[in-house]
Amino acid sequence: MQRLLDKYDYILLDIIYTYKKNNKNQLIKLSQLEANYWTRIERDDARDNHTAQLGERIAHLYLNGYILNKSGVGYNLTRKGKEELLDERMEKVERI
């Protein structure tokens, strides 16, 4: 059974999307993705209870077609990943 995405998965999708948007379509490297991720959740309990396992999350997003790694150049969102991220953003707006 495929697990649903949680807030940490959406954080990863957002980091990839935002990086590409702000850096003239450059892809984000794993080291940059990692640094941004840990900075974003710095004050979160995830560091303490290990719910933020980065490698496992990246693998899950990759295997389920939300992200791709272009020949070691960097990570990018797939169409499915972009749609999922935009849907999540819209849901947040509707809840407000």
Side-chain angles (χ1 to χ4, degrees):
M1 183 176 151
Q2 182 177 333
R3 76 171 175 82
L4 299 175
L5 300 182
D6 65 14
K7 77 176 191 175
Y8 301 107
D9 295 321
Y10 286 111
I11 288 171
L12 284 169
L13 293 178
D14 186 58
I15 290 168
I16 295 168
Y17 177 82
T18 303
Y19 184 88
K20 186 173 179 187
K21 183 178 166 188
N22 293 337
N23 291 284
K24 299 178 183 165
N25 286 327
Q26 287 184 333
L27 304 181
I28 190 168
K29 303 257 187 227
L30 180 59
S31 60
Q32 295 164 312
L33 179 57
E34 226 176 327
N36 279 293
Y37 179 73
W38 291 116
T39 300
R40 282 256 197 112
I41 67 165
E42 195 172 73
R43 293 175 196 91
D44 205 322
D45 290 340
R47 282 189 158 213
D48 298 329
N49 64 23
H50 304 289
T51 59
Q53 299 162 344
L54 184 58
E56 202 174 291
R57 289 184 180 283
I58 291 172
H60 166 75
L61 293 171
Y62 178 80
L63 292 172
N64 288 292
Y66 293 101
I67 63 174
L68 56 98
N69 187 355
K70 292 196 172 186
S71 306
V73 175
Y75 288 90
N76 191 17
L77 295 182
T78 61
R79 176 180 284 163
K80 181 179 177 180
K82 286 177 193 169
E83 289 172 356
E84 184 67 32
L85 180 62
L86 295 176
D87 287 348
E88 173 65 12
R89 287 179 175 177
M90 290 305 296
E91 284 180 27
K92 281 184 177 180
V93 168
E94 289 172 1
R95 282 185 241 147
I96 296 176

